[in-house]
Amino acid sequence: GNDAGALIGEHSGPGGTVRTYLRLQGPSGNRIASALITGDFFVTPPRVVYDLEGALRGLPLEQVPGTLDCFFRDADIEVLSVRKEDFLKSLQAAIDAGRQD
């Protein structure tokens, strides 16, 4: 959607593009208020993306890499056309977009 307050990060890999919309919270904007992950990548079951968005909600930014490690290790993913690193790079791009103020 047209969400003026959201930070947008995008990363394209061989398996597709991961686009992340982030809202940050906290006094120094160092915590994820909400994350929306879209793109043209392929994943089954589709709910993996919703679960990942839920895992990111309320998370301090410094915990993002470790949380992704655990999530992709433990999630019951059948098919994923992109890699964990593609999600991380997309998230990092959104976080970096917020650092340019």
Side-chain angles (χ1 to χ4, degrees):
N2 188 4
D3 194 346
L7 304 171
I8 304 172
E10 190 173 289
H11 177 74
S12 297
T17 298
V18 180
R19 191 173 298 110
T20 304
Y21 298 85
L22 279 188
R23 285 186 169 284
L24 301 181
Q25 65 186 20
S28 53
N30 63 348
R31 188 179 286 270
I32 295 175
S34 63
L36 175 68
I37 299 170
T38 64
D40 60 2
F41 58 90
F42 182 75
V43 59
T44 53
R47 70 158 298 115
V48 166
V49 173
Y50 303 112
D51 291 344
L52 179 56
E53 291 169 351
L56 292 169
R57 201 170 296 125
L59 196 68
L61 295 182
E62 67 269 14
Q63 291 180 24
V64 167
T67 297
L68 282 186
D69 284 343
C70 293
F71 180 86
F72 283 99
R73 187 188 64 221
D74 300 339
D76 187 18
I77 302 172
E78 293 168 34
V79 180
L80 182 60
S81 66
V82 289
R83 299 170 309 144
K84 173 188 71 182
E85 289 76 16
D86 295 317
F87 288 96
L88 186 56
K89 286 174 181 169
S90 176
L91 273 158
Q92 193 60 56
I95 292 166
D96 290 346
R99 297 272 185 262
Q100 289 166 8
D101 294 343

